[in-house]
Amino acid sequence: MMRIIGLTGGIGSGKSTVSEYIREKGIKTIDADEISRNLTKKDGAALPAIRKFFGEQVFFEDGTLNRKALGNIVFSDRDKLKLLESCTTEVVDRIIRKELAELKENDFNGVVVLDIPLLFEGGDQVLCDETWVVTCSYDIKVERLLKRDNTTLEAVKNRMANQMSDEDKIKLATYIIDNSFSLDYLYTQIELLLLKNNCI
Ligand code: ADP
């Protein structure tokens, strides 16, 4: 039997840290961000639509996507973010569903973790047997993002503003992973959830 776990969390929550830990355990994961990056790499399938909506200003001369320029546009403008998501999210969703269908066809037995930043926003929780939300306070997120991305407070706040609130995510979650403390504490919670699912 295949068991599908949806993993999500707002930017700076520690979702990537959790998903990396799970991957290192050898557990099958499907990473929506990775699929999305593939769609937007050179000659990727999403680039024509992005060029149409955002123009040459978000491309380098060699035709690769200028992620920083695009990020600056979409993370301070909710409508533009929605537009970008329409270029990528639907395709990412289709690819994820296809991968799951293939695993099922091949009688995959065990847990698959779907690592999807916009899990609830896109309604993908319906694909999952259970969902995990990684969370920590706003101030801790800001502090960790400033350190990780070496950027300005304003840019960090803009990126955080255009997301579903943690309160709403928590309401929809099966389990909450509290990342307010040490990495050890984070990893212990993951271990317990994996044990519950007979993964380790
Ligand atoms: P997300 O994928 O949710 O945006 P990340 O997993 O990249 O978040 O975490 C944000 C930053 O905080 C990263 O630099 C990560 O190494 C760091 N981090 C994550 N969890 C902790 C923790 N418990 N203690 C200290 N730093 C952490």
Side-chain angles (χ1 to χ4, degrees):
M1 260 265 287
M2 180 162 74
R3 184 164 177 81
I4 302 172
I5 296 173
L7 170 67
T8 193
I11 177 168
S13 63
K15 183 191 65 66
S16 308
T17 308
V18 172
S19 110
E20 203 177 306
Y21 187 76
I22 291 169
R23 250 195 314 272
E24 277 171 8
K25 296 248 157 218
I27 292 160
K28 171 86 189 151
T29 60
I30 297 177
D31 180 344
D33 272 346
E34 188 188 328
I35 296 171
S36 178
R37 272 194 303 277
N38 279 333
L39 287 172
T40 53
K41 69 182 184 195
K42 195 161 166 42
D43 302 323
L47 291 192
I50 292 174
R51 182 172 275 111
K52 186 173 141 208
F53 290 129
F54 296 94
E56 287 304 325
Q57 58 169 336
V58 300
F59 287 88
F60 291 114
E61 267 177 22
D62 66 356
T64 54
L65 189 62
N66 183 340
R67 289 171 200 277
K68 196 154 185 204
L70 187 59
N72 286 339
I73 294 174
V74 298
F75 287 123
S76 55
D77 183 332
R78 191 181 282 263
D79 290 339
K80 296 230 163 91
L81 182 61
K82 286 254 170 304
L83 199 58
L84 174 63
E85 283 169 8
S86 75
C87 299
T88 54
T89 313
E90 274 169 40
V91 190
V92 171
D93 215 53
R94 223 180 305 139
I95 293 171
I96 290 173
R97 282 168 197 259
K98 193 163 152 255
E99 278 192 35
L100 288 175
E102 277 168 16
L103 287 170
K104 206 167 171 189
E105 244 166 58
N106 295 323
D107 292 323
F108 180 85
N109 193 12
V111 160
V112 182
V113 175
L114 296 187
D115 174 357
I116 308 184
L118 301 176
L119 181 76
F120 296 126
E121 290 87 336
D124 283 332
Q125 72 267 33
V126 299
L127 299 171
C128 304
D129 295 295
E130 67 181 58
T131 55
W132 300 356
V133 169
V134 188
T135 179
C136 59
S137 74
Y138 185 85
D139 289 348
I140 297 178
K141 284 181 192 163
V142 169
E143 187 188 316
R144 289 182 184 156
L145 286 172
L146 281 173
K147 204 163 152 197
R148 184 190 75 184
D149 296 343
N150 190 22
T151 175
T152 64
L153 186 60
E154 197 198 351
V156 165
K157 287 191 168 170
N158 273 338
R159 292 181 71 170
M160 293 173 75
N162 285 312
Q163 296 201 324
M164 184 193 271
S165 71
D166 273 15
E167 288 73 41
D168 288 341
K169 286 188 179 121
I170 285 169
K171 278 187 207 143
L172 296 166
T174 318
Y175 296 107
I176 295 152
I177 298 177
D178 179 3
N179 190 21
S180 308
F181 304 100
S182 67
L183 283 173
D184 273 347
Y185 182 65
L186 176 69
Y187 295 152
T188 304
Q189 293 172 78
I190 306 169
E191 298 273 338
L192 285 174
L193 288 173
L194 292 174
L195 268 175
K196 238 180 176 5
N197 280 288
N198 300 319
C199 290
I200 49 173

